[in-house]
């Protein structure tokens, strides 16, 4: 298993270019199942979750080529309607194939995604939506079987604005002739990017002035040509890495308005932020980092995926702050590792109480999940001395060429692939 050896205590400098969004790319790749025509998707980040999704598309019967960020998906043979457990267990978002496959074949079988490091993560909101669209749900040997003779358009009110359920249902409804309305839908930029991709295939989807997603379903969808939106979580992670290390850097090729609340909180914490249409420049304004409380919330609220890197920053603030995780249960595994690096954090249910310390101390730590891993990398960049971040495969799920990008910013970070007996 790869690990990072990081010599911390150095300031970052220069600029970093943001990749296409992983979370936007995953459902957009799955949307290619809605057509037999060719789909061309640009700015696809080269990440483990993307490679898993390519395997899923190939297993289902697509031919996929991926070169220099451009992914081309073509029809190869008649699509299968079920996915193997081996792939679903690697990535919970595999369940998002259910919507397109149900729409095209009126049946699909997908293994129930198992538990996951950041909580139970059920799919009940997806399933209730499929039922509204006329599907019957049953379980067989750990598989969810979703089928029907006929799907119908419907008004679906989500009990929570789940990102995945909104995307899965949108993909399904785009191939059901008639008007489907999703109320209390997620409004994350990744949802808008999927809308853009589906519309490029001939779908007709809008977000109306009441925030509802209105889908005029079509008999057939055609070729897709789409460029993935910038990754706002990667953007936020580099902003927080710069903030925690007290550095001035420029983030390029991003969409600053997708990180508005983070930018506001960083300003409150004492950083100077300047933005253009596609760039964010961060530098230190105050001498000490001011503590700021945050609560995670659906977009445009504070992203749960930035909660862990934000916690790293607050560990260095001048005083007490709270981080409240209101989206996922059990998303504080990084706290124990940050404590091993000298942080002062106490956990109380979904709230982390943090008392700032002067700096982290170098240590050997272990990533427990993708964003938690990024939080540890930032802490290691701050700690004066050599730290080791293990289980880098979590980080590789979501950060394209992270060590290369950090090295270009002046960090001392090296990937080590230990011998198998280590
Ligand atoms: C997506 C993102 C993930 C991000 C999350 C919230 C992808 C691939 N992943 O995950 O990085 O952290 O949005 O912004 O895009 N829930 C249910 N029942 C359901 C579905 C969800 O109870 O059927 C709950 C979940 O357990 C969680 C909350 O709703 O507590 C939010 O989940 P959701 O918005 O669905 O997240 P994902 O789409 O899985």
């Amino acid at each position: 298993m790869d690990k990072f050896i990081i010599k911390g205590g150095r300031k970052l400098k220069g600029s970093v270019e943001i990749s296409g969004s992983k979370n936007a790319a995953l459902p957009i790749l799955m949307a290619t199942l809605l057509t037999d025509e060719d789909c061309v998707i640009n700015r696809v980040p080269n990440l483990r979750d993307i490679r898993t999704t390519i395997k899923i598309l190939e297993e289902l019967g697509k031919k996929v080529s991926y070169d220099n960020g451009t992914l081309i998906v073509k029809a190869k043979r008649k699509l299968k309607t079920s996915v193997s457990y081996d792939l679903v267990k690697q990535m919970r978002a595999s369940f998002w194939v259910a919507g397109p496959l149900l729409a095209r074949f009126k049946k699909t079988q997908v293994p129930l995604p198992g538990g996951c490091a950041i909580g139970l993560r059920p799919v009940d909101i997806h399933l209730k939506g499929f039922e509204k669209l006329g599907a019957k749900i049953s379980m067989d040997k750990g598989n969810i079987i979703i089928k029907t003779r006929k799907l119908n358009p419907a008004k679906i009110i989500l009990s929570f604005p789940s990102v995945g359920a909104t995307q899965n249902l949108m993909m399904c409804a785009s191939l059901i002739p008639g008007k489907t309305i999703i109320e209390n839908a997620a409004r994350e930029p990744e949802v808008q990017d999927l809308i853009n991709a589906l519309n490029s295939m001939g779908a007709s989807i809008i977000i109306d002035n009441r925030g509802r997603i209105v889908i005029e379903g079509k008999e057939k969808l055609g070729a897709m040509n789409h460029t993935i939106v910038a990754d706002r979580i990667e953007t936020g992670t580099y902003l927080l890495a710069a903030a925690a290390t007290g550095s001035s850097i420029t983030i390029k090729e991003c969409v600053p308005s997708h990180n508005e609340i983070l930018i506001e909180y960083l300003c409150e914490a004492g950083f100077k932020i300047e933005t253009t249409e596609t760039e964010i420049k961060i530098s230190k304004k105050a001498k000490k980092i001011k503590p700021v409380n945050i609560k995670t919330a659906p977009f445009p609220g504070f992203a749960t995926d930035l909660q862990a890197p934000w916690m790293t920053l607050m560990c260095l603030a001048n005083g007490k702050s709270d981080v409240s995780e209101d989206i996922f249960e059990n998303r504080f595994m990084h706290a124990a590792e940050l404590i091993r690096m000298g942080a002062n954090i106490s956990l109380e249910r979904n709230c982390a109480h943090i008392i700032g310390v002067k700096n982290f101390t170098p240590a050997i730590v272990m990533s427990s999940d993708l964003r938690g891993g990024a939080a540890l990398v930032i802490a290691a960049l701050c700690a004066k001395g050599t730290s080791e971040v293990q289980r880098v495969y979590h980080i590789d799920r979501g950060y394209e060429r992270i060590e290369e990008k950090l090295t270009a910013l002046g960090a001392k970070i090296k990937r080590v692939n230990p011998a198998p007996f280590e």
Side-chain angles (χ1 to χ4, degrees), residues 22-24 26-27 49 92-93 96 118-127 159-165 167 186 188 190 232-233 297-299 303-305 326-329 331 370-371 397:
K22 164 184 90 82
N23 285 353
L26 294 181
D49 277 6
R92 195 180 158 279
W96 292 202
I118 58 172
L120 268 174
R121 306 188 80 173
V123 288
D124 55 311
I125 304 174
H126 302 236
L127 298 180
S159 56
F160 178 86
S162 153
V163 176
Q167 294 170 324
E188 270 65 4
E190 296 78 19
R232 67 191 167 103
I233 306 303
F299 189 82
T304 170
D305 286 355
D326 292 357
I327 303 289
F328 287 109
E329 61 197 75
R331 200 173 195 179
L370 166 56
R371 309 302 171 187
R397 285 187 48 212

Side-chain angles (χ1 to χ4, degrees), residues 187-214:
R187 283 183 289 163
E188 270 65 4
E190 296 78 19
V191 171
Q192 183 61 57
D193 208 35
L194 176 61
I195 293 178
N196 297 345
L198 290 170
N199 286 345
S200 87
M201 302 169 83
S204 171
I205 308 176
I206 56 151
I207 301 183
D208 73 7
N209 50 15
R210 288 162 60 186
R212 308 177 313 171
I213 295 183
V214 182

Side-chain angles (χ1 to χ4, degrees), residues 375-396:
L376 299 179
V377 168
I378 297 175
L381 291 172
C382 300
K384 282 200 177 89
T386 304
S387 294
E388 186 176 309
V389 178
Q390 299 181 341
R391 300 206 175 171
V392 165
Y393 63 88
H394 286 297
I395 302 170
D396 289 338

Side-chain angles (χ1 to χ4, degrees), residues 16-36:
V16 59
E17 212 168 278
I18 295 305
S19 300
S21 157
K22 164 184 90 82
N23 285 353
L26 294 181
I28 289 172
L29 260 64
M30 289 165 188
T32 63
L33 295 167
L34 289 163
T35 184
D36 281 334

